[in-house]
Amino acid sequence: MGLNRPNLAMDNAMYSEELAVAVRVVHMACCLCQRVQDGLVGTSSEQVKSKDDDSPVTVADWSVQATVSWILAEVFGSQNVSIVAEEEIQTLSKPDSADLLEAVVNTVNECLSEAPKFGLKCPDKALRTSQVLDAISRCNSTGGPKGRHWILDPVDGTLGFVRGDQYAVALALIEDGKVVIGVLGCPNYPMNKEWLNYHNKFYQAMSKQSPPASDSWEKGCVMYARRGSGEAWMQPMVLGDQKLEWPNSARLIKVSSIDNPAMATFCEPVEKANSNHSFTKGLVHSVGLRKQPLRVYSMVKYAAIARGDAEIFMKFARAGYKEKIWDHAAGVLIVEEAGGVVTDAGGRPLDFSRGIYLEGLDRGIIVCSGAALHEKIIGAVYASWDSSNL
């Protein structure tokens, strides 16, 4: 990947302001998450709670949601901003969550105080608890086929996050049911794809033994794309006292050109609770994939496809599980603009116009680096489906 400068024509293109703000606020959110994760990993912290579905939620989830909500409302006007997001405030508002709520408020204010570093405006004074709760609860849109809706997953892959591993901050803009902007922050995504096979704590320990060169981008990245541009870009994380430049020395990213299944690397979810690994395993064998799967938390899988580190991502949900739009919107657009193909298992584009769920999804999701691989996977799904136990 060569070093490029983002197409300056994008500055005058449709959604240019929205894209610039989205990239800036995701950079902010990634820095917030890094701080929280550093303090979270290896401690028995009260900063992790369980939601109704037993999935974990942390100080970072709520803090990112509040921060992004506040910034978008400040820039575009709260009356003009509709946000579909994962977290609600019920757990945070309970009497026994007072310490947790205080930690969220402090984290949000610490993050917002650094907004000028990212080219954004900070509040005149620290937000009160009620303002933070309002910012979180404003993210109550259910999307739909009309209008503009921001789609936010504040910490995608919370389980990976609390384990010190991979996670993502995902922000997308949908207009009239179509994803038009996608931004994906991957704070722990190493530049060398081989490191993805190791637990992130081991990777971090090894990195400390051999300090990275200043241009190696060892500390994560932010990817972004705008619909119809035919381009997807990757920026390094903003570290220390650096300021975010826009546009900065981003790299143009492209999907892999590998179209031979025997040479292809495929990703699948780490979490077994909502994925059918057994069907995927059978499909892998029938298609002729030879390499070990890359099991990665969160939308980092989309980042791996977009950047050419892997060629295939398949997810077949267990019975009763419904895919949510915030788990896919940003990643789908970035892969597509980088040259990849994303459909359901029937070969149809994903439909983001029907609320918070990907309604009408045919069996699962297939993400490929190119049309040739995609056709082979779709064919194998049809051949394997009748004999599966899904």
Side-chain angles (χ1 to χ4, degrees), residues 7-23:
N7 184 353
L8 293 178
M10 190 181 283
D11 289 349
N12 301 315
M14 201 169 180
Y15 307 114
S16 59
E17 183 184 11
E18 291 86 350
L19 180 62
V21 171
V23 171

Side-chain angles (χ1 to χ4, degrees), residues 190-198 203 291 294 307 309:
M191 286 304 293
N192 184 340
K193 77 171 184 178
E194 280 71 30
W195 284 112
L196 286 169
N197 293 310
Y198 297 94
Y203 154 69
K291 290 191 171 184
L294 195 61
R307 206 178 73 174
D309 290 343

Side-chain angles (χ1 to χ4, degrees), residues 206-382:
M206 294 298 291
S207 296
K208 286 176 183 175
Q209 289 180 24
S210 303
S214 60
D215 63 348
S216 67
W217 294 12
E218 294 280 2
K219 294 289 186 180
C221 58
V222 173
M223 299 181 183
Y224 59 91
R226 179 177 54 83
R227 176 168 292 281
S229 67
E231 296 175 340
W233 296 90
M234 178 171 68
Q235 295 178 327
M237 291 278 293
V238 175
L239 302 174
D241 295 325
Q242 293 176 343
K243 289 188 176 182
L244 176 64
E245 308 269 334
W246 179 264
N248 72 0
S249 54
R251 295 182 184 183
L252 192 63
I253 54 174
K254 282 289 182 187
V255 294
S256 164
S257 59
I258 292 172
D259 59 7
N260 179 356
M263 302 293 293
T265 298
F266 79 98
C267 300
E268 66 176 359
V270 176
E271 302 88 340
K272 293 184 178 180
N274 57 26
S275 299
N276 190 315
H277 283 313
S278 61
F279 179 75
T280 304
K281 188 176 180 180
L283 196 60
V284 163
H285 180 74
S286 66
V287 173
L289 295 171
R290 300 283 180 262
K291 290 191 171 184
Q292 282 291 105
L294 195 61
R295 286 194 171 179
V296 185
Y297 293 98
S298 81
M299 262 189 275
V300 171
K301 292 178 284 290
Y302 282 104
I305 304 289
R307 206 178 73 174
D309 290 343
E311 287 73 39
I312 301 166
F313 161 39
M314 300 180 281
K315 184 179 181 188
F316 297 92
R318 288 184 180 275
Y321 181 80
K322 294 176 74 173
E323 297 288 349
K324 301 175 185 71
I325 60 174
W326 52 67
D327 288 325
H328 300 280
V332 167
L333 182 65
I334 291 168
V335 166
E336 289 177 338
E337 295 302 321
V341 181
V342 185
T343 69
D344 67 14
R348 298 178 304 191
L350 307 189
D351 186 353
F352 291 94
S353 71
R354 298 170 64 180
I356 67 170
Y357 297 106
L358 287 173
E359 301 286 2
L361 193 67
D362 186 348
R363 293 168 286 189
I365 295 171
I366 310 290
V367 185
C368 290
S369 55
L373 270 178
H374 183 261
E375 287 174 15
K376 290 171 185 173
I377 299 292
I378 294 292
V381 169
Y382 276 105

Side-chain angles (χ1 to χ4, degrees), residues 106-123:
N106 291 339
T107 303
V108 169
N109 281 315
E110 182 181 5
C111 182
L112 287 175
S113 70
E114 296 182 347
K117 188 170 82 172
F118 300 91
L120 295 166
K121 181 187 173 187
C122 63

Side-chain angles (χ1 to χ4, degrees), residues 4-300:
N4 301 282
R5 191 167 178 81
N7 184 353
L8 293 178
M10 190 181 283
D11 289 349
N12 301 315
M14 201 169 180
Y15 307 114
S16 59
E17 183 184 11
E18 291 86 350
L19 180 62
V21 171
V23 171
R24 293 174 193 276
V25 77
V26 168
H27 270 286
M28 274 181 69
C30 287
C31 290
L32 180 161
C33 288
Q34 282 182 311
R35 280 197 296 265
V36 174
Q37 190 182 50
D38 287 346
L40 198 61
V41 176
T43 64
S44 56
S45 175
E46 288 296 314
Q47 296 188 5
V48 182
K49 291 282 186 179
S50 290
K51 294 190 280 191
D52 292 340
D53 62 359
D54 289 331
S55 60
V57 59
T58 70
V59 164
D61 293 82
W62 285 300
S63 299
V64 168
Q65 188 160 311
T67 298
V68 173
S69 173
W70 190 88
I71 290 289
L72 292 179
E74 277 296 299
V75 174
F76 300 111
S78 58
Q79 72 280 7
N80 301 318
V81 173
S82 165
I83 305 175
V84 182
E86 184 166 14
E87 307 308 339
E88 39 70 36
I89 62 170
Q90 273 83 335
T91 302
L92 204 54
S93 302
K94 291 177 180 176
D96 62 351
S97 296
D99 290 345
L100 182 66
L101 177 56
E102 183 182 4
V104 168
V105 173
N106 291 339
T107 303
V108 169
N109 281 315
E110 182 181 5
C111 182
L112 287 175
S113 70
E114 296 182 347
K117 188 170 82 172
F118 300 91
L120 295 166
K121 181 187 173 187
C122 63
D124 294 330
K125 57 184 179 180
L127 300 188
R128 301 186 304 277
T129 299
S130 60
Q131 291 174 296
V132 171
L133 288 172
D134 285 347
I136 296 170
S137 59
R138 270 202 306 270
C139 304
N140 60 356
S141 171
T142 54
K146 297 295 182 185
R148 283 190 174 193
H149 307 284
W150 291 93
I151 314 300
L152 171 67
D153 194 338
V155 179
D156 183 52
T158 303
L159 198 56
F161 177 80
V162 299
R163 291 175 176 175
D165 213 303
Q166 296 293 334
Y167 65 97
V169 177
L171 181 63
L173 178 62
I174 289 179
E175 182 153 36
D176 295 337
K178 300 288 185 184
V179 185
V180 294
I181 287 172
V183 184
L184 199 55
C186 306
N188 287 338
Y189 192 13
M191 286 304 293
N192 184 340
K193 77 171 184 178
E194 280 71 30
W195 284 112
L196 286 169
N197 293 310
Y198 297 94
H199 190 280
N200 194 58
K201 284 193 285 189
F202 175 69
Y203 154 69
Q204 288 175 329
M206 294 298 291
S207 296
K208 286 176 183 175
Q209 289 180 24
S210 303
S214 60
D215 63 348
S216 67
W217 294 12
E218 294 280 2
K219 294 289 186 180
C221 58
V222 173
M223 299 181 183
Y224 59 91
R226 179 177 54 83
R227 176 168 292 281
S229 67
E231 296 175 340
W233 296 90
M234 178 171 68
Q235 295 178 327
M237 291 278 293
V238 175
L239 302 174
D241 295 325
Q242 293 176 343
K243 289 188 176 182
L244 176 64
E245 308 269 334
W246 179 264
N248 72 0
S249 54
R251 295 182 184 183
L252 192 63
I253 54 174
K254 282 289 182 187
V255 294
S256 164
S257 59
I258 292 172
D259 59 7
N260 179 356
M263 302 293 293
T265 298
F266 79 98
C267 300
E268 66 176 359
V270 176
E271 302 88 340
K272 293 184 178 180
N274 57 26
S275 299
N276 190 315
H277 283 313
S278 61
F279 179 75
T280 304
K281 188 176 180 180
L283 196 60
V284 163
H285 180 74
S286 66
V287 173
L289 295 171
R290 300 283 180 262
K291 290 191 171 184
Q292 282 291 105
L294 195 61
R295 286 194 171 179
V296 185
Y297 293 98
S298 81
M299 262 189 275
V300 171

